[in-house]
Amino acid sequence: MPNNAVLKLGDKELTYPVIVGSEGEKAIDLRNLRADTGHITYDEGYGNTGSCESAITYIDGDAGILRYRGYPIEQLAEKSDFIETAFLVIYGELPTAEQRARFSALLTEHAPIHERMVYLFESYPRDAHPMALLGAMMNALSCYYPALATNDHKRDLENFDVAAAMALSKVRTITAITYRMSRGLPVIYPKRAFKYCENFMHMMFSDPYEHFDCPPVVARALNLILLLHADHEQNCSTSSVRMVASSGANLFASCAAGICALWGPLHGGANQAVIQMLEEIHATGDDGSKFIASAKAGKSRLMGFGHRVYKNYDPRAKIIGKACEDLLNTLGIKDPLLDIARHLEQAALSDNYFIDRKLYPNVDFYSGIMMRAIGIPINMFTVMFAIGRMPGWISNWKEVASNPKGRIYRPRQIYTGKTVRDYVPVDKRG
Ligand code: CMC
């Protein structure tokens, strides 16, 4: 493999080094290109651009491979749980029993939110979208815990363990309070004895008089959903987190940016959009065939299908598709949306439009059906994705903050506007 790439520009020949990642992925290092030539690279949507080096997650989109810190997603999905995987993603190694106990204790300690923050929720409209609230509340943590959010990376890293535990633990408390408030229900506080997912379900569905007993099958399903979302290298929201972090911003502010980026329907909002799509198909009596035809005609988009990186099956979709079926069987739920989803999948996978464009189900295609089955309301699906993605955002923030050679992210552009012209007084315009 060549060590260099040669670029010929006019009569100039320039040589740029090829850098190789630990899994053999190759990149041409163009950091000196502009200084050498006055040119920039143009790559709208960043499909060919490596924005950083990272040691967290490896994806081979053509082979359908996803690994956190080297561990295949299939093994983690089968053997681990969300909190152990969160530790792995954030700290780089699976925890020892002692590390796990300490991490859990820190999460338990930081599960409640500052009591004054409850009043913040009061001031939002009852029907505010939970993603809007989550972004606002995540950012608000910097106001309530300013010592952890100094915007001086050296100082913020000294308090990293606590800040990370707060973000990871409080994200689920904020989500549960949002749900309770939106329904006019009293806030339920976290319980020390419960594990992460059980505690979340308790804060969502217990009432002051009766505890909601989370069935183990539901806790397992929730663990799996969150674990499968824990990180996904340089996607839109994680890149946003790194972008904000690169300016020196604190962990909470950077994660708030990730939440905002995740909200859109082309990213985390897809899980909500999938269920809305399936409900619409169901309401019209279509088995999915008409919808496939309209997607092919460019009149609609088959939500939960396609991925910028995976050009083979999304490995998370394989795991979640099977888990979805198992969960519904165990709970004895017959969901017509699952039948439509299965039919859409079969129809799309045998259709040349989807085959040619390498469009396969992604993680969002089945996660919504699972969340529906365990009682999560549809407008909270993307928030669940955010809870799951928190370890990835936290570890990416840490990578940026700890990089001694880190520079502010600052892409360039090709300007296509007007060239210079003189100011026109108002009576001479038009
Ligand atoms: N349904 C129908 N056609 C599609 C779809 C789809 N879901 N996705 C892509 N295409 C077509 C697209 O119209 C284009 O066709 P043509 O070449 O004829 O113009 C071709 O496939 C390439 O699509 P693209 O939009 O250039 O692909 P992209 O890499 O920019 O977008 C994507 C990736 C995920 C945004 C897109 O596939 C999509 O919108 N999918 C639906 C939304 C979705 O499920 N998002 C969740 C992604 S996974 C969770 C996450 O990480 O956020």
Coordinates of all heavy atoms in Angstrom, one line a residue, residues 55-57 68-69 82-95 103 106-107 157 160-169 196 230-231 251 255 387-399 402:
A55 N -10.6 6.5 19.1 CA -10.3 5.1 19.6 C -11.5 4.5 20.2 O -11.4 3.5 20.9 CB -9.2 5.1 20.5
I56 N -12.7 5.0 19.9 CA -13.9 4.6 20.6 C -14.7 3.4 19.8 O -14.8 2.3 20.3 CB -14.9 5.7 20.9 CG1 -14.1 6.8 21.7 CG2 -16.1 5.3 21.7 CD1 -14.8 8.1 21.8
T57 N -15.1 3.8 18.7 CA -16.0 2.9 17.9 C -15.5 2.6 16.5 O -15.0 3.5 15.9 CB -17.4 3.5 17.9 OG1 -18.0 3.4 19.2 CG2 -18.4 2.7 17.0
Y68 N -17.6 -1.6 19.8 CA -17.3 -0.6 20.7 C -15.9 -1.0 21.4 O -15.8 -2.1 22.0 CB -18.3 -0.5 21.9 CG -19.7 -0.2 21.5 CD1 -20.8 -0.5 22.3 CD2 -20.1 0.6 20.3 CE1 -22.1 -0.2 22.1 CE2 -21.4 0.9 20.1 CZ -22.4 0.5 20.9 OH -23.7 0.8 20.6
R69 N -14.9 -0.1 21.3 CA -13.6 -0.4 21.9 C -13.1 -1.8 21.5 O -12.5 -2.5 22.4 CB -13.7 -0.3 23.4 CG -14.2 1.1 23.9 CD -13.2 2.1 23.8 NE -13.6 3.4 24.5 CZ -12.8 4.5 24.5 NH1 -11.6 4.5 23.9 NH2 -13.2 5.5 25.1
F82 N -26.5 -2.2 29.6 CA -26.2 -0.8 29.2 C -25.1 -0.2 30.1 O -24.2 0.5 29.5 CB -27.5 0.0 29.3 CG -27.3 1.5 28.9 CD1 -26.7 1.8 27.7 CD2 -27.7 2.5 29.8 CE1 -26.5 3.2 27.4 CE2 -27.5 3.8 29.5 CZ -26.9 4.2 28.3
I83 N -25.2 -0.3 31.4 CA -24.3 0.4 32.2 C -22.8 -0.1 32.1 O -21.9 0.6 32.0 CB -24.7 0.3 33.7 CG1 -26.0 1.2 33.8 CG2 -23.7 0.9 34.7 CD1 -25.9 2.6 33.3
E84 N -22.7 -1.5 32.0 CA -21.3 -2.0 31.8 C -20.8 -1.5 30.4 O -19.6 -1.1 30.3 CB -21.4 -3.5 31.8 CG -20.0 -4.1 31.6 CD -20.1 -5.7 31.6 OE1 -20.5 -6.2 30.5 OE2 -19.6 -6.3 32.5
T85 N -21.7 -1.5 29.4 CA -21.2 -1.0 28.1 C -20.9 0.5 28.1 O -20.0 0.9 27.4 CB -22.3 -1.4 27.0 OG1 -22.4 -2.8 27.0 CG2 -22.0 -0.8 25.7
A86 N -21.7 1.2 28.9 CA -21.5 2.7 29.0 C -20.1 2.9 29.6 O -19.3 3.7 29.1 CB -22.5 3.3 29.9
F87 N -19.7 2.1 30.6 CA -18.4 2.2 31.2 C -17.3 1.9 30.2 O -16.3 2.6 30.0 CB -18.3 1.2 32.4 CG -17.0 1.4 33.1 CD1 -16.9 2.1 34.3 CD2 -15.8 0.8 32.7 CE1 -15.7 2.3 35.0 CE2 -14.6 0.9 33.4 CZ -14.5 1.7 34.5
L88 N -17.5 0.8 29.4 CA -16.6 0.5 28.3 C -16.4 1.6 27.3 O -15.3 1.9 27.0 CB -17.1 -0.8 27.6 CG -16.4 -1.2 26.3 CD1 -15.0 -1.7 26.6 CD2 -17.3 -2.2 25.5
V89 N -17.5 2.2 26.9 CA -17.4 3.2 25.9 C -16.7 4.4 26.4 O -15.8 5.0 25.8 CB -18.8 3.6 25.4 CG1 -18.8 4.8 24.5 CG2 -19.4 2.4 24.5
I90 N -17.0 4.8 27.7 CA -16.5 6.0 28.3 C -15.0 5.8 28.7 O -14.2 6.7 28.4 CB -17.3 6.5 29.5 CG1 -18.7 6.9 29.0 CG2 -16.6 7.6 30.2 CD1 -19.7 7.1 30.2
Y91 N -14.7 4.7 29.3 CA -13.3 4.5 29.9 C -12.4 3.6 29.1 O -11.3 3.5 29.4 CB -13.5 4.0 31.3 CG -14.1 5.1 32.2 CD1 -15.4 5.0 32.7 CD2 -13.3 6.2 32.6 CE1 -16.0 6.0 33.5 CE2 -13.9 7.2 33.4 CZ -15.2 7.1 33.8 OH -15.8 8.0 34.6
G92 N -13.0 2.9 28.1 CA -12.1 2.2 27.2 C -11.9 0.7 27.5 O -11.4 -0.1 26.7
E93 N -12.3 0.3 28.7 CA -12.2 -1.2 29.1 C -13.4 -1.6 29.8 O -14.1 -0.8 30.4 CB -11.0 -1.4 30.1 CG -9.6 -1.1 29.5 CD -9.2 -2.0 28.4 OE1 -9.7 -3.1 28.3 OE2 -8.3 -1.6 27.6
L94 N -13.7 -2.9 29.7 CA -14.8 -3.4 30.5 C -14.4 -3.3 32.0 O -13.3 -3.5 32.3 CB -15.1 -4.9 30.2 CG -15.7 -5.2 28.8 CD1 -15.6 -6.7 28.5 CD2 -17.2 -4.7 28.9
P95 N -15.4 -2.9 32.8 CA -15.0 -2.6 34.2 C -14.7 -3.9 35.0 O -15.4 -4.9 34.7 CB -16.3 -1.9 34.8 CG -17.4 -2.4 33.9 CD -16.8 -2.7 32.6
F103 N -18.9 2.7 39.8 CA -19.6 3.5 38.7 C -21.1 3.5 39.0 O -21.8 4.5 39.0 CB -19.3 2.8 37.4 CG -19.8 3.5 36.2 CD1 -19.5 4.8 35.9 CD2 -20.5 2.8 35.2 CE1 -19.9 5.5 34.8 CE2 -21.0 3.5 34.0 CZ -20.6 4.8 33.8
L106 N -21.9 5.8 41.8 CA -21.9 7.2 41.4 C -23.1 7.6 40.6 O -23.7 8.7 40.8 CB -20.6 7.4 40.5 CG -19.9 8.7 40.5 CD1 -19.6 9.2 41.9 CD2 -18.6 8.6 39.6
L107 N -23.6 6.7 39.8 CA -24.8 6.9 39.0 C -26.0 7.0 40.0 O -26.9 7.9 39.8 CB -25.1 5.8 38.0 CG -24.1 5.6 36.9 CD1 -24.4 4.4 36.0 CD2 -24.1 6.9 36.0
L157 N -11.9 18.2 33.2 CA -11.4 16.8 33.2 C -11.1 16.3 34.6 O -11.3 15.2 34.9 CB -10.2 16.7 32.3 CG -10.5 16.6 30.8 CD1 -9.2 16.7 30.0 CD2 -11.2 15.4 30.4
F160 N -14.2 15.0 35.7 CA -14.9 14.3 34.7 C -15.8 13.1 35.2 O -16.9 13.0 34.7 CB -13.9 13.7 33.7 CG -14.5 12.8 32.6 CD1 -15.2 13.4 31.6 CD2 -14.4 11.4 32.7 CE1 -15.9 12.6 30.6 CE2 -15.1 10.6 31.7 CZ -15.8 11.2 30.7
D161 N -15.3 12.3 36.1 CA -16.1 11.1 36.6 C -17.4 11.6 37.1 O -18.5 10.9 36.8 CB -15.3 10.4 37.7 CG -14.1 9.7 37.1 OD1 -13.9 9.6 35.9 OD2 -13.3 9.2 37.9
V162 N -17.4 12.6 37.9 CA -18.7 13.1 38.4 C -19.6 13.7 37.4 O -20.8 13.4 37.3 CB -18.5 14.1 39.6 CG1 -19.8 14.7 40.1 CG2 -17.8 13.4 40.7
A163 N -19.0 14.5 36.5 CA -19.8 15.2 35.4 C -20.4 14.1 34.5 O -21.6 14.1 34.1 CB -19.0 16.1 34.7
A164 N -19.6 13.1 34.2 CA -20.1 12.0 33.3 C -21.2 11.2 33.9 O -22.2 10.9 33.3 CB -18.9 11.1 32.9
A165 N -21.0 10.9 35.2 CA -22.1 10.2 36.0 C -23.4 11.0 36.0 O -24.5 10.5 35.9 CB -21.6 9.8 37.4
M166 N -23.2 12.3 36.2 CA -24.4 13.2 36.3 C -25.1 13.2 34.9 O -26.3 13.0 34.9 CB -24.0 14.6 36.6 CG -23.7 14.9 38.0 SD -23.9 16.7 38.3 CE -23.5 16.7 40.0
A167 N -24.4 13.4 33.9 CA -25.0 13.4 32.6 C -25.7 12.1 32.3 O -26.9 12.1 31.9 CB -24.0 13.7 31.5
L168 N -25.1 11.0 32.5 CA -25.6 9.7 32.2 C -26.8 9.3 33.1 O -27.8 8.7 32.7 CB -24.5 8.6 32.4 CG -24.8 7.2 32.0 CD1 -25.3 7.1 30.5 CD2 -23.6 6.3 32.2
S169 N -26.7 9.7 34.4 CA -27.8 9.3 35.3 C -29.0 10.3 35.2 O -30.1 9.9 35.2 CB -27.2 9.3 36.7 OG -28.0 8.6 37.6
Y196 N -30.3 0.8 36.8 CA -30.5 2.0 35.8 C -31.9 1.9 35.1 O -32.7 2.8 35.2 CB -29.4 2.0 34.8 CG -29.4 3.3 34.0 CD1 -28.6 4.4 34.4 CD2 -30.1 3.4 32.8 CE1 -28.6 5.5 33.7 CE2 -30.0 4.5 32.1 CZ -29.3 5.6 32.5 OH -29.2 6.8 31.7
A230 N -25.4 3.0 22.1 CA -24.4 3.7 23.0 C -23.4 4.5 22.2 O -23.0 5.6 22.7 CB -23.7 2.6 23.9
D231 N -23.0 4.1 21.1 CA -22.1 5.0 20.3 C -22.2 4.6 18.8 O -22.6 3.4 18.5 CB -20.7 4.9 20.8 CG -19.8 6.1 20.2 OD1 -20.4 7.2 20.1 OD2 -18.7 5.8 19.7
L251 N -18.9 19.7 29.3 CA -19.6 18.4 28.9 C -21.1 18.6 28.7 O -21.7 18.1 27.7 CB -19.3 17.4 29.9 CG -20.0 16.0 29.7 CD1 -19.4 15.3 28.6 CD2 -19.9 15.2 31.0
C255 N -23.1 18.1 25.2 CA -24.1 17.0 25.1 C -25.4 17.6 24.7 O -26.2 17.0 23.9 CB -24.2 16.2 26.4 SG -22.8 15.2 26.6
I387 N -30.8 9.0 25.5 CA -30.3 8.3 26.8 C -29.3 7.3 26.4 O -28.2 7.2 27.0 CB -31.5 7.6 27.6 CG1 -32.5 8.7 28.0 CG2 -30.9 6.9 28.8 CD1 -33.7 8.1 28.7
G388 N -29.6 6.5 25.4 CA -28.7 5.5 24.9 C -27.4 6.0 24.4 O -26.3 5.5 24.6
R389 N -27.4 7.2 23.7 CA -26.3 7.7 23.0 C -25.4 8.5 24.0 O -24.2 8.9 23.7 CB -26.7 8.6 21.9 CG -25.6 9.2 21.0 CD -24.6 8.2 20.4 NE -25.2 7.0 19.7 CZ -25.5 7.0 18.4 NH1 -25.3 8.0 17.7 NH2 -26.1 5.9 17.9
M390 N -25.8 8.7 25.2 CA -25.1 9.6 26.2 C -23.6 9.0 26.4 O -22.7 9.9 26.4 CB -25.9 9.6 27.5 CG -25.5 10.8 28.4 SD -25.5 12.4 27.7 CE -27.2 12.6 27.4
P391 N -23.4 7.7 26.5 CA -22.0 7.3 26.7 C -21.1 7.7 25.5 O -20.0 8.1 25.7 CB -22.1 5.7 26.8 CG -23.5 5.5 27.2 CD -24.4 6.6 26.6
G392 N -21.6 7.6 24.3 CA -20.9 8.0 23.2 C -20.5 9.4 23.1 O -19.4 9.8 22.9
W393 N -21.5 10.3 23.5 CA -21.2 11.7 23.5 C -20.2 12.1 24.6 O -19.3 12.9 24.4 CB -22.5 12.5 23.8 CG -23.5 12.4 22.6 CD1 -23.2 12.2 21.3 CD2 -24.9 12.6 22.7 NE1 -24.4 12.2 20.6 CE2 -25.5 12.4 21.4 CE3 -25.8 12.9 23.7 CZ2 -26.8 12.6 21.1 CZ3 -27.2 13.0 23.4 CH2 -27.7 12.8 22.1
I394 N -20.4 11.4 25.8 CA -19.5 11.7 26.9 C -18.1 11.3 26.5 O -17.1 12.0 26.7 CB -19.9 10.9 28.1 CG1 -21.3 11.5 28.6 CG2 -18.9 11.0 29.2 CD1 -22.0 10.6 29.7
S395 N -17.9 10.1 25.9 CA -16.5 9.7 25.6 C -15.9 10.5 24.4 O -14.7 10.7 24.4 CB -16.5 8.2 25.3 OG -17.3 7.9 24.2
N396 N -16.8 10.9 23.5 CA -16.2 11.8 22.4 C -15.8 13.1 23.0 O -14.8 13.7 22.6 CB -17.2 11.9 21.3 CG -17.1 10.7 20.3 OD1 -16.3 10.8 19.4 ND2 -17.8 9.7 20.5
W397 N -16.6 13.7 23.9 CA -16.2 14.9 24.6 C -14.9 14.8 25.2 O -14.0 15.6 25.1 CB -17.3 15.3 25.6 CG -16.9 16.6 26.3 CD1 -17.2 17.9 25.9 CD2 -16.1 16.8 27.5 NE1 -16.7 18.8 26.7 CE2 -16.0 18.1 27.7 CE3 -15.5 15.9 28.4 CZ2 -15.3 18.7 28.8 CZ3 -14.8 16.4 29.5 CH2 -14.7 17.7 29.7
K398 N -14.7 13.6 25.9 CA -13.5 13.4 26.7 C -12.3 13.3 25.7 O -11.2 13.8 26.0 CB -13.6 12.1 27.5 CG -12.5 11.9 28.4 CD -12.8 10.7 29.3 CE -11.7 10.4 30.3 NZ -11.3 9.0 30.3
E399 N -12.5 12.6 24.6 CA -11.4 12.5 23.6 C -11.0 13.9 23.1 O -9.8 14.2 23.0 CB -11.9 11.7 22.4 CG -11.1 10.4 22.3 CD -11.5 9.6 21.1 OE1 -12.0 10.1 20.1 OE2 -11.2 8.4 21.1
S402 N -9.3 15.9 26.0 CA -8.0 15.4 26.5 C -6.9 15.5 25.4 O -5.8 15.1 25.6 CB -8.1 13.9 26.9 OG -9.3 13.6 27.4

